[in-house]
Amino acid sequence: MSETSATTEVASQYAARVASDLESNAKEQERIGAEIVALQEQLTALQHDHRVLVNIQQALAGAAPAAGSTPVPSPRKDAVAEPAPGRKGTRARKGGASSQSPAAKKPTAKKTSAAKAPAKAAGAKAAGPTLVELVRRHLVAQSEPRSAAEVSAALAQDHPERPVRTTVVRNTLEGLVAKQQAQRTKQGSSVYYTAIGAPEPAPAPEPASQAESK
């Protein structure tokens, strides 16, 4: 009977130890699983930020030539034919005509540039504000952060004549963030934007009586 009781006691000790090891193993699996989920969420956020930054880089690279002013080519001069050898009189006459051509063409060039200036001004006025300006104004007017979808819906409602896409608006917002004109915050899986450096209201003019007393 003593040996049987000793064997039973040893078996119960091993059983308790195995149960404790199983519990520790389960808790360790749960901890590591939670860390994997958190790392996966961080990886997804980093991949999203990478795609957004690539889109901004491509947009800035495509807009770089348009940022500078396009030089206006000067009027092309008429080609002067070289006279055949031995015809000095013809060369002299053509040389005299070519020397007078720049002076005669200068007024025409001035008239052309003067005529193009009003046309460019009218085209710029008719084009209206750019999408960057509209997005910036909307953010400045808001008291709370807005997502790209909310900004797109508001612009589509305020400007139904202009096609507005959420992807383009999101790239524009990221461009403002890159220029430090907007701030990006994340709430869970959603991204919100807030304007930075909004212009302060101008001070009210002083009454005429106070200005005269000063």
Side-chain angles (χ1 to χ4, degrees):
M1 292 293 294
S2 61
E3 293 181 359
T4 304
S5 61
T7 303
T8 304
E9 184 178 357
V10 171
S12 62
Q13 291 177 358
Y14 273 107
R17 184 171 181 179
V18 169
S20 176
D21 291 342
L22 285 175
E23 184 179 359
S24 299
N25 186 284
K27 290 181 179 180
E28 188 68 14
Q29 289 185 26
E30 183 178 357
R31 183 184 65 83
I32 294 176
E35 292 182 357
I36 291 175
V37 172
L39 291 175
Q40 185 65 37
E41 292 179 355
Q42 294 180 7
L43 178 61
T44 303
L46 289 174
Q47 290 175 347
H48 175 267
D49 294 343
H50 181 269
R51 289 194 298 269
V52 171
L53 292 174
V54 169
N55 292 334
I56 294 174
Q57 186 182 39
Q58 293 176 354
L60 293 176
S69 57
T70 305
V72 179
S74 58
R76 187 176 66 179
K77 297 180 180 180
D78 296 335
V80 179
E82 289 292 335
R87 297 182 180 180
K88 296 182 179 180
T90 306
R91 181 181 295 178
R93 287 195 299 272
K94 290 186 177 180
S98 62
S99 62
Q100 295 177 359
S101 59
K105 289 181 180 179
K106 283 183 179 179
T108 306
K110 290 182 179 179
K111 291 180 180 179
T112 305
S113 60
K116 287 182 178 180
K120 288 183 178 180
K125 186 180 294 184
T130 62
L131 181 60
V132 177
E133 295 175 351
L134 293 177
V135 173
R136 169 71 175 163
R137 293 175 185 174
H138 180 75
L139 283 183
V140 170
Q142 303 304 312
S143 59
E144 297 179 354
R146 289 291 184 269
S147 64
E150 292 174 342
V151 175
S152 302
L155 293 181
Q157 183 177 2
D158 295 340
H159 304 277
E161 73 282 357
R162 299 185 62 166
V164 179
R165 297 179 58 184
T166 305
T167 305
V168 179
V169 172
R170 183 180 293 107
N171 293 338
T172 304
L173 289 168
E174 292 294 338
L176 292 176
V177 173
K179 296 177 182 178
Q180 296 183 354
Q181 296 181 1
Q183 183 179 2
R184 174 162 53 90
T185 56
K186 293 188 66 177
Q187 297 180 6
S189 59
S190 302
V191 181
Y192 296 90
Y193 301 88
T194 309
I196 296 178
E200 298 181 357
E206 297 182 356
S209 59
Q210 294 182 4
E212 291 177 358
S213 62
K214 291 181 180 179

